[in-house]
Amino acid sequence: MLVIAVVAVVGAGAFAVMASNRVKGSASETASAYFAAWREADATEMARLVYRPPGDFVVRHRALSDELHVESIELVPGRLNSTGEESAEVPFAGVRHLSEFGAWPFDSVLRLAVRDRSWKVLWAPETLHPLLKDGGTLELAEIDASAAELVTAEGDKIPNDSYADAYLNPLKPEFEQAVHGWALVAKAPGQPNRQLMTRRPEANVERTTLSRPVQAAAARALDGVEDSTIIVIRPSTGEIIGLADRLKDNYSAVRDVFPPGSVFKTITAAALLKSGLDPAAQVGCPGTYQIPFHGLYENDGEVDRGVVTFTDAFAHSCNTTFIEQATTRLTGADLRETADEWGFGRPIATGIGGTCGTVPETTDLDLLAADVIGQGEVVATPLCMAALAAAVESGTWRSPRLLSKEQVRRIDGVPHGDVVMDGTVVAALRDMMTAVVDHGTASDSGLPEGVAGKTGTAEVEGETSHAWFLGYRDDLAFCVFIRNGGSGRAAAVPVAARFLKGL
C-alpha cells in the first residue's frame, strides 16, 4: 500500500509539471481571434491578444482609421506557416474602404510566438500597413480645388496666346466652387513624401461666347501689332465671339475710352440722315471750310473733292462736309440724342463690365464741329464701336456680352434690352459703309468681298494718332483699334484684313 501511495504521489507530481508546461491555445486560434477582433474594430480585444502591446496600441489603431476616413476593412488570412517550434506567421491580404477613395488594398504579415506559455501576436506598426515600418506615417491631405476653367462657346480650350487673359483670368473666381480634393500621402523619415492616391475635384467649366476659330484669327491678326485690340461681335445675338487685347499700360478695350476720330461719323451720319439729309444729296467737300464767324477746318491733306453725294462724302471721310452739314442742320442735343440711340446712353452688361462712351451736349459750334468728326470731347470704347457696327448690320442694337445671359445678370446686372433701329437710317448706313470699302478710304486694301466699314484716324495732342476701323461681314461685326498707331487706313484696315482672311 505504501508503494502504491508513493507511485501515486510521483505520478501526480509529473502530471502537474506537464500541465504547467503546456502551451495554451494554438497559433491558428490566436490568429483567427485577432483577425475577427480587427474586422469588428475591437482594438481592446486585439490588444489582449498581443504580447506586450504598446501603451498607445488602441489609440494608434483608431487614429489611423480616423485619419484615413476608413469606413470598413476586409481581411483575408493566408495559410499559417510555422517558423520554429514556438513561432509562426500568417500572411494576409487586406482592403481598407476609404470614404474619399473607395477600396485601398494592402498586404501584410501577422507574426505570432509563444510567450508566457500562450500564443501571442508579435505586433509592430507594419502589421497595420507595411508603409508604417521604421517611423512611417499615412495621412490624408486636402488638395485645393482647381481654378475654374473658361472655355469657348464650342466647349474647347481658349486658344493659346489669345490675348484674352486680361479679361478671363479675373473672371475665373466668379465660377470657383468651395470644394477640395484629397491625397493619400505616405511619409517616411529622410525620404520625400509620396502621394499614393489623389482625388482632385473637377474644375468648374464655364462656356464663354468666344468662338474658337474667331478668337484664334483675331489674336493672330494682332501678332506683331503693339498696343492694339480687336473686338468681334455676332450682330444677331450680341455675343462677343472674339476679344483680343494687346493694349499696353493697363488700358482696356471694354472699359477705357479714346477719341474715336472718323469712325464716329457713323453716328453723325445717322443724325444727319434722321434730320432729312438724303444719302444721294449733293454736298460740298472743299479742302477747307470755315464756320461763319468761327473756326477753320480742313480735310486730311486739304483734299478738295468738290461736290459729291453725301454717301461719297462719308466714303472719303470728308471732314468739311460733315462739319458744314452738322453745324447747319444739327444741335449738340441732336448729336447726343442720336449717340444715345446707338448705344452711348445705355448701360452695357457684358459679364466683364464695360462702357460705351460719352458725347457731351454743347451749344458751342466749334466744339460741336470737333465732336461730329470724333474729336473734341467725344470719347468711346472699342467695345462700343464694335456694337455700333453690329447694330448697323442687324438693324438692332444689342448689349454685347461675353457670358450667358444668366451669368451676365448675376455678375453685371440686367443688361439693356434690344433696341430696333430706324430701318431707313440703317439701310442708308449700310450703303454708305459699303462705299467706304468699295471706293472710299478702305478700298484696295486687301479686305475680302462683302465687307462694309468705316475708317477713323483720331488726333491726339502731342502724340501719334489713334487708328480705327469698324465694320461687318455677314453675321460678324468688329472693331480694330491701335492706340497711337497712325491712320486707320494704313494701320487698322490691314489688321482687319488679316483677321477676316484668317477665319
Side-chain angles (χ1 to χ4, degrees):
M1 293 293 294
L2 178 60
V3 174
I4 294 173
V6 170
V7 171
V9 170
V10 171
F15 178 81
V17 170
M18 291 176 59
S20 65
N21 289 329
R22 183 181 300 165
V23 175
K24 295 178 183 178
S26 67
S28 177
E29 291 172 346
T30 300
S32 295
Y34 189 86
F35 286 125
W38 195 353
R39 292 186 189 99
E40 296 298 323
D42 188 349
T44 302
E45 175 62 17
M46 293 165 66
R48 189 184 66 78
L49 298 168
V50 173
Y51 177 69
R52 294 182 180 177
D56 62 350
F57 179 88
V58 173
V59 171
R60 191 179 299 195
H61 277 71
R62 291 173 178 169
L64 182 67
S65 293
D66 291 343
E67 172 66 30
L68 302 187
H69 299 179
V70 177
E71 295 179 334
S72 62
I73 188 168
E74 298 176 20
L75 300 166
V76 180
R79 181 177 179 179
L80 185 144
N81 300 313
S82 175
T83 57
E85 290 185 4
E86 294 186 342
S87 63
E89 63 182 23
V90 180
F92 66 94
V95 179
R96 286 183 173 91
H97 293 271
L98 311 184
S99 60
E100 277 71 35
F101 297 105
W104 180 42
F106 70 102
D107 293 308
S108 191
V109 176
L110 187 71
R111 292 181 171 82
L112 305 104
V114 176
R115 295 290 187 269
D116 299 332
R117 297 188 301 277
S118 182
W119 280 97
K120 293 285 189 179
V121 172
L122 301 183
W123 187 86
E126 56 265 35
T127 309
L128 266 173
H129 195 283
L131 290 175
L132 298 178
K133 186 177 181 179
D134 299 328
T137 60
L138 292 167
E139 299 177 10
L140 205 58
E142 289 187 4
I143 299 176
D144 290 338
S146 302
E149 182 179 2
L150 298 175
V151 298
T152 66
E154 302 89 349
D156 298 326
K157 289 185 177 296
I158 303 295
N160 293 331
D161 302 320
S162 66
Y163 305 132
D165 288 347
Y167 300 99
L168 300 180
N169 288 341
L171 193 57
K172 289 179 180 179
E174 290 286 348
F175 301 101
E176 288 181 355
Q177 298 174 324
V179 296
H180 54 259
W182 296 95
L184 182 58
V185 182
K187 298 181 179 181
Q191 297 182 23
N193 296 345
R194 283 196 296 148
Q195 287 192 354
L196 306 177
M197 292 192 292
T198 58
R199 194 194 76 184
R200 297 185 181 277
E202 291 185 6
N204 185 29
V205 177
E206 184 69 24
R207 293 191 185 220
T208 66
T209 58
L210 295 176
S211 161
R212 192 183 193 288
V214 173
Q215 182 65 31
R220 299 295 68 81
L222 294 188
D223 285 343
V225 184
E226 294 294 326
D227 226 355
S228 58
T229 187
I230 179 168
I231 297 181
V232 190
I233 293 175
R234 180 171 285 121
S236 60
T237 63
E239 296 169 312
I240 299 173
I241 55 177
L243 175 54
D245 190 344
R246 298 194 67 196
L247 294 177
K248 297 192 297 186
D249 302 325
N250 291 320
Y251 279 108
S252 164
V254 305
R255 292 183 291 273
D256 289 313
V257 294
F258 308 90
S262 291
V263 292
F264 187 76
K265 287 175 182 168
T266 310
I267 298 289
T268 306
L272 290 169
L273 291 165
K274 193 167 65 168
S275 76
L277 183 59
D278 191 277
Q282 298 293 302
V283 293
C285 179
T288 62
Y289 172 75
Q290 183 168 17
I291 302 172
F293 310 109
H294 288 273
L296 180 70
Y297 300 89
E298 61 186 36
N299 288 330
D300 184 26
E302 295 189 18
V303 174
D304 186 342
R305 297 189 179 277
V307 177
V308 296
T309 65
F310 180 41
T311 294
D312 282 350
F314 183 87
H316 295 292
S317 204
C318 293
N319 289 339
T320 55
T321 303
F322 274 77
I323 289 171
E324 179 182 9
Q325 295 299 321
T327 55
T328 56
R329 288 174 170 270
L330 304 175
T331 65
D334 294 330
L335 185 66
R336 182 194 56 75
E337 180 183 323
T338 301
D340 286 352
E341 290 174 357
W342 287 86
F344 281 77
R346 303 187 186 107
I348 291 178
T350 62
I352 52 172
T355 188
C356 193
T358 56
V359 180
E361 187 174 321
T362 181
T363 57
D364 184 320
L365 282 183
D366 285 310
L367 186 54
L368 178 61
D371 286 346
V372 298
I373 60 172
Q375 299 289 165
E377 295 182 338
V378 171
V379 288
T381 61
L383 173 67
C384 185
M385 294 294 96
L388 170 62
V392 174
E393 192 283 332
S394 70
T396 300
W397 183 91
R398 294 180 171 89
S399 182
R401 58 183 174 86
L402 186 68
L403 299 170
S404 67
K405 292 180 179 179
E406 294 74 21
Q407 294 294 4
V408 167
R409 291 191 191 97
R410 181 179 68 84
I411 296 171
D412 273 356
V414 179
H416 197 284
D418 297 349
V419 180
V420 178
M421 309 309 293
D422 184 302
T424 301
V425 172
V426 167
L429 289 176
R430 289 173 183 161
D431 290 342
M432 296 166 81
M433 291 174 70
T434 299
V436 170
V437 178
D438 179 62
H439 57 271
T441 56
S443 62
D444 301 321
S445 55
L447 290 167
E449 290 291 326
V451 178
K454 181 69 186 81
T455 60
T457 304
E459 296 179 0
V460 184
E461 186 175 355
E463 299 181 59
T464 304
S465 299
H466 298 322
W468 293 82
F469 183 54
L470 61 81
Y472 62 84
R473 183 189 189 199
D474 299 324
D475 195 21
L476 182 152
F478 59 86
C479 175
V480 175
F481 171 68
I482 306 174
R483 183 169 167 257
N484 305 125
S487 77
R489 175 181 173 83
V493 172
V495 171
R498 285 200 302 275
F499 160 65
L500 293 167
K501 290 177 179 178
L503 291 173

